[in-house]
Amino acid sequence: MFFTFRFSLFVFHYSLFTSTQIFPIFEQIFFMKNLFILIFISFYIQNFYSQTNRYFIAFKNKNNNGYSISNPSAFLSPKAIQRRINQSIPIDYSDLPVTPSYVNQINSLTGVNVLHRIKWLNGVIVQTTNTTALTVIQSYTYVQSVQPLNFSVHINPIDSSQQIFNQPSAKTYSYNYGNSYDQIHQINLECLHNAGYRGEGMIIAVIDDGFYNVQNNPVFDSLFQQGRLLGTRDFVTGDTMVYEDDSHGAYVLSTMAALSNGNMIGTAPKASYWLLRSEDVSSESPVEEYYWIRAAEFADSAGADVINTSLGYTTFDNSTYNHTYSMMNGKTTPIAIAARMAARKGIFVTVSAGNEGSSSWYYISTPADADSVCTVGAVDVNGVVGSFSSHGPTSDGRIKPDVCAMGVNATIASPGGFVFNGNGTSFASPIIAGAAACLWQAKPNLTNIQLLNLIKQYSSNSSSPNNSIGWGIPDFCGAFTDVEKFDHSNNIKVYPNPFSDKLFVTSYFQINKIEIYNLLGEKIIDKNCNDISVEISLDKFSKGIYFLTIYFDSDKKYCQKIIKE
């Protein structure tokens, strides 16, 4: 069976610092984990027969819902609105909540419980076994369709672990990265941290399967002490309790948010975080894709800049609902449609490619197939693609993954704060997510798509991307500092050249000013821009050779000869 619900944890290695700690820690971990599993199994044995079916009720419209796109503050946070303004993204029909009267009428039916409202797909998830009520719902004039989301129960095996002893890095930067040095250094992120770009002011939403013991884990102490843990939501159970669920999300979080000097530092150790649970490890059913959609909608409304999800789906407990490779085209599965929608709202979305590279499935899963998201594969410390890392292309022929990061022996933190090494694209994805947040902090005028393109262009395989490593391993320091390399990568366009009357300049960086000089060195154009696309009229100037200078932030500039015919 394809391991769809989380991409990681093939082998864990505890890194302990004294031999006297080993046996008490392992004894405690063994007891706690097995006690949790026993309680878990007992709970589901008692509740197995009380579980009811889930359905997605799609609506035809959002008529009379009481909201207006002219008043977005009624349904979006100020930061979500500002994100749209910054990227020139209009607030549209998809942002409007579903019509409350539709929800209330459905929820009033006997035996029907509305679990979630899904505005991007315009519908609700309901829980019911009342087939008569479903027939009534289908008859409502505003209902488009009723889609079953089968729910069943199974218990997943415990992952294995093995102790090792890592030596902290001898390198000294603004942080002592300790065991996490390799995964930071591989993507050349130290210089952003040294320059003070560590994720401050950026909001990252982590959508996963649970965040066991995060509130007590010492690597996350500053997250709570500094008020950067913005909140939690559990879209599986409908409450805010995520710290008693599975540990996978906590491991993922540690690659970004850990701040334990000399032990482990995440890629965005000063960012703010929302922890959102959408995956139920006890089952594998289509309803989890809709939980994810609800989580992504919440992240958008709460103003998240980045979403990381180390989840993916292909097959389910009930094979009737299985996806096929032909569906991996970015526009068929509900979760891929929603991931693309999140990107369309200006969010930088990172998704783990999957761990099926050596299996019969081989390819990426969904939502890694979505366009406009950053799909991340796994490499080792030497840049070799992990044998398990899923491959592209998407079924419609697009290259995936987009980039890769360290997912072979990646450093992660256990629920007790000790250091693991784990394998999986689950860890490569958040490493990139945190780094992207730091780069975006440094380059706030980029759109999310420009940010993605910039990261890809500054990656090791950008000249010949393929379906194993994508554009390669990013160089975040290069993207941050080396404007000259950026120019030579065709990311600044000056056209047409030669020109007749108008000249156009586009860039992924914000252009602060443009100057044009003639052959005598006289400045004939001095134009303040503060934009990424500029039109210059030169119809009044004579034919000949001129010199164009483009000024960016951080005192970087680019020069080019231009010719008027």
Side-chain angles (χ1 to χ4, degrees):
M1 177 179 174
F2 177 68
F3 196 47
T4 55
F5 73 91
R6 50 186 178 147
F7 296 134
S8 64
L9 313 186
F10 295 134
V11 182
F12 287 130
H13 307 286
Y14 280 97
S15 178
L16 310 179
F17 299 106
T18 64
S19 59
T20 58
Q21 293 175 307
I22 296 173
F23 294 106
I25 289 170
F26 269 115
E27 183 178 34
Q28 181 182 19
I29 292 171
F30 181 84
F31 173 77
M32 290 178 64
K33 192 163 188 178
N34 283 279
L35 177 61
F36 173 76
I37 293 296
L38 288 172
I39 294 172
F40 189 79
I41 293 172
S42 175
F43 173 84
Y44 274 99
I45 289 174
Q46 294 175 31
N47 289 277
F48 182 91
Y49 293 105
S50 65
Q51 295 289 355
T52 52
N53 287 332
R54 272 76 163 171
Y55 297 84
F56 179 68
I57 313 299
F59 299 147
K60 294 178 181 178
N61 55 59
K62 293 183 178 181
N63 294 346
N64 303 313
N65 71 357
Y67 297 95
S68 169
I69 59 176
S70 63
N71 183 27
S73 60
F75 48 88
L76 293 173
S77 71
K79 198 168 190 309
I81 296 170
Q82 191 61 50
R83 173 171 15 90
R84 287 160 169 76
I85 293 172
N86 291 344
Q87 301 185 55
S88 300
I89 298 171
I91 295 168
D92 61 23
Y93 181 83
S94 65
D95 290 309
L96 293 173
V98 298
T99 300
S101 61
Y102 298 169
V103 179
N104 294 337
Q105 185 175 19
I106 290 172
N107 203 43
S108 68
L109 296 173
T110 301
V112 177
N113 180 28
V114 174
L115 300 177
H116 294 294
R117 308 178 188 204
I118 309 292
K119 64 181 180 181
W120 287 349
L121 302 185
N122 192 22
V124 292
I125 300 173
V126 302
Q127 182 180 24
T128 187
T129 55
N130 187 340
T131 56
T132 301
L134 290 173
T135 301
V136 172
I137 291 171
Q138 185 68 75
S139 71
Y140 291 154
T141 58
Y142 55 80
V143 170
Q144 180 71 42
S145 63
V146 177
Q147 178 181 345
L149 304 172
N150 188 62
F151 184 85
S152 59
V153 175
H154 70 264
I155 303 300
N156 294 290
I158 302 173
D159 299 298
S160 61
S161 63
Q162 179 181 350
Q163 174 203 346
I164 64 165
F165 295 92
N166 283 339
Q167 296 297 323
S169 168
K171 302 284 185 180
T172 302
Y173 297 93
S174 57
Y175 289 126
N176 181 351
Y177 292 102
N179 295 282
S180 59
Y181 169 74
D182 285 340
Q183 62 203 44
I184 297 288
H185 181 66
Q186 185 179 63
I187 59 175
N188 210 5
L189 187 62
E190 304 99 313
C191 76
L192 269 82
H193 287 176
N194 292 340
Y197 298 108
R198 306 168 186 183
E200 290 93 338
M202 304 300 291
I203 297 177
I204 301 176
V206 188
I207 306 179
D208 218 285
D209 71 354
F211 303 86
Y212 181 67
N213 205 44
V214 161
Q215 81 280 25
N216 298 316
N217 192 328
V219 304
F220 301 124
D221 280 350
S222 68
L223 198 59
F224 291 88
Q225 293 166 0
Q226 297 171 9
R228 293 186 290 103
L229 196 288
L230 301 181
T232 61
R233 294 290 188 276
D234 189 332
F235 295 97
V236 179
T237 60
D239 56 32
T240 60
M241 306 298 291
V242 300
Y243 300 137
E244 79 284 6
D245 298 302
D246 195 73
S247 299
H248 183 261
Y251 302 137
V252 167
L253 179 66
S254 70
T255 67
M256 296 179 282
L259 184 51
S260 180
N261 217 38
N263 182 24
M264 178 182 183
I265 304 293
T267 50
K270 290 290 188 177
S272 299
Y273 292 86
W274 278 97
L275 308 184
L276 310 176
R277 179 180 179 235
S278 70
E279 172 66 39
D280 185 352
V281 299
S282 68
S283 68
E284 198 69 288
S285 60
V287 70
E288 291 166 289
E289 292 193 35
Y290 289 84
Y291 292 155
W292 190 96
I293 297 168
R294 182 66 192 95
E297 287 184 354
F298 176 87
D300 170 43
S301 297
D305 301 294
V306 177
I307 288 175
N308 179 80
T309 189
S310 295
L311 304 170
Y313 300 90
T314 57
T315 60
F316 300 100
D317 296 342
N318 185 335
S319 61
T320 303
Y321 301 104
N322 286 354
H323 298 321
T324 62
Y325 172 66
S326 65
M327 299 170 70
M328 302 295 107
N329 58 16
K331 54 188 177 184
T332 298
T333 69
I335 195 171
I337 293 170
R340 181 178 61 180
M341 180 70 78
R344 295 293 189 270
K345 302 300 181 185
I347 301 172
F348 189 87
V349 181
T350 57
V351 182
S352 52
N355 294 335
E356 296 304 309
S358 56
S359 77
S360 59
W361 175 269
Y362 184 75
Y363 295 106
I364 57 169
S365 59
T366 192
D369 61 317
D371 71 75
S372 305
V373 308
C374 183
T375 301
V376 186
V379 295
D380 66 15
V381 68
N382 297 313
V384 178
V385 177
S387 60
F388 57 82
S389 188
S390 290
H391 300 262
T394 60
S395 63
D396 59 339
R398 288 174 289 112
I399 292 175
K400 290 287 181 176
D402 293 282
V403 296
C404 286
M406 196 164 166
V408 179
N409 286 328
T411 296
I412 56 179
S414 74
F418 298 95
V419 173
F420 283 91
N421 285 139
N423 293 336
T425 58
S426 276
F427 308 133
S429 181
I431 286 172
I432 294 298
C438 295
L439 182 58
W440 213 356
Q441 178 194 1
K443 304 290 183 183
N445 295 312
L446 298 180
T447 68
N448 62 330
I449 302 303
Q450 291 166 349
L451 180 68
L452 175 57
N453 288 335
L454 177 60
I455 291 169
K456 289 161 67 173
Q457 290 295 333
Y458 268 93
S459 294
S460 60
N461 198 44
S462 61
S463 61
S464 56
N466 60 49
N467 287 301
S468 294
I469 198 172
W471 277 255
I473 301 167
D475 174 5
F476 280 91
C477 189
F480 170 55
T481 62
D482 190 1
V483 173
E484 184 178 359
K485 178 182 175 182
F486 178 79
D487 300 337
H488 293 169
S489 301
N490 294 320
N491 290 298
I492 293 175
K493 294 183 179 180
V494 179
Y495 62 94
N497 191 22
F499 63 93
S500 57
D501 55 355
K502 289 184 179 180
L503 189 70
F504 299 88
V505 180
T506 61
S507 170
Y508 290 126
F509 287 123
Q510 175 176 291
I511 301 168
N512 288 343
K513 185 170 67 170
I514 288 178
E515 295 176 349
I516 297 179
Y517 296 82
N518 61 22
L519 284 174
L520 299 176
E522 298 170 331
K523 187 191 297 183
I524 60 171
I525 293 288
D526 189 348
K527 182 179 180 65
N528 292 320
C529 307
N530 297 320
D531 204 345
I532 61 172
S533 181
V534 181
E535 176 183 328
I536 305 170
S537 177
L538 295 168
D539 57 329
K540 295 182 181 179
F541 295 99
S542 60
K543 296 179 181 180
I545 297 174
Y546 297 87
F547 296 96
L548 171 76
T549 301
I550 305 171
Y551 292 89
F552 303 92
D553 55 358
S554 303
D555 298 321
K556 299 294 183 181
K557 64 181 181 180
Y558 168 74
C559 299
Q560 180 174 326
K561 180 174 71 175
I562 55 176
I563 301 172
K564 181 174 181 180
E565 292 182 336

